[in-house]
Amino acid sequence: MAEKLRYSDEELEEFRAIINEKLSLAKRDYDQMMKVLMNQDGNDVDDTSPTYKILEEGSAAQSKEELIQLASRQQKFINGLKAALVRIENKTYGIDRITGKLIPKERLRAVPHATLSVESKQSRK
């Protein structure tokens, strides 16, 4: 029997559902982070005493930097998921971009935007 070259349409639909669910959660989390960064969450210290505010400024700056990094990573994750949806449309989803072989389903369920099998990823290091 010949080696399978791509996932079936039914399998692709299963992956599409997984990706859409993760994409929805990722967008929600990203939007939440952006609200905090833009001070739209209504939970600020603007109306509290100046002493408290001075103590908080250093901590707030560090927290904001961390949140910016998290938001950036979240945006990259969202872009990866969107690219995976394009690969599903093109019926190229789940194909290792180095070996051309199918990435195992278990890996795709865990990391749906993966473009490399674990072996290919490790061989690149």
Side-chain angles (χ1 to χ4, degrees):
M1 186 172 154
E3 187 176 342
K4 194 171 169 183
L5 299 177
R6 76 170 189 87
Y7 284 110
S8 71
D9 291 348
E10 294 79 25
E11 290 167 319
L12 291 176
E13 285 307 312
E14 175 192 339
F15 290 124
R16 184 191 313 270
I18 291 169
I19 292 167
N20 280 328
E21 184 179 335
K22 287 191 182 274
L23 189 57
S24 174
L25 292 171
K27 284 180 178 178
R28 185 200 66 201
D29 291 348
Y30 178 78
D31 289 344
Q32 202 108 29
M33 287 179 218
M34 293 311 292
K35 281 181 183 175
V36 171
L37 285 171
M38 304 295 185
N39 293 321
Q40 294 176 348
D41 63 348
N43 198 9
D44 205 357
V45 293
D46 285 340
D47 57 352
T48 57
S49 72
T51 307
Y52 177 74
K53 204 166 179 187
I54 289 170
L55 293 172
E56 282 293 302
E57 282 179 0
S59 171
Q62 183 179 359
S63 294
K64 198 166 195 170
E65 282 297 316
E66 290 169 358
L67 198 54
I68 289 169
Q69 285 181 329
L70 281 172
S72 176
R73 285 183 65 199
Q74 194 71 356
Q75 186 62 48
K76 187 176 174 184
F77 179 57
I78 289 168
N79 289 339
L81 291 171
K82 287 179 177 178
L85 288 173
V86 170
R87 290 192 303 277
I88 286 175
E89 286 301 312
N90 297 337
K91 299 190 187 300
T92 59
Y93 179 79
I95 299 171
D96 186 309
R97 64 186 170 149
I98 292 178
T99 65
K101 295 181 179 175
L102 285 183
I103 299 169
K105 282 184 183 183
E106 300 75 38
R107 172 150 171 78
L108 292 173
R109 286 186 182 113
V111 186
H113 58 292
T115 58
L116 297 172
S117 65
V118 173
E119 295 78 25
S120 292
K121 189 169 178 138
Q122 289 174 342
S123 71
R124 291 181 69 201
K125 290 183 180 179

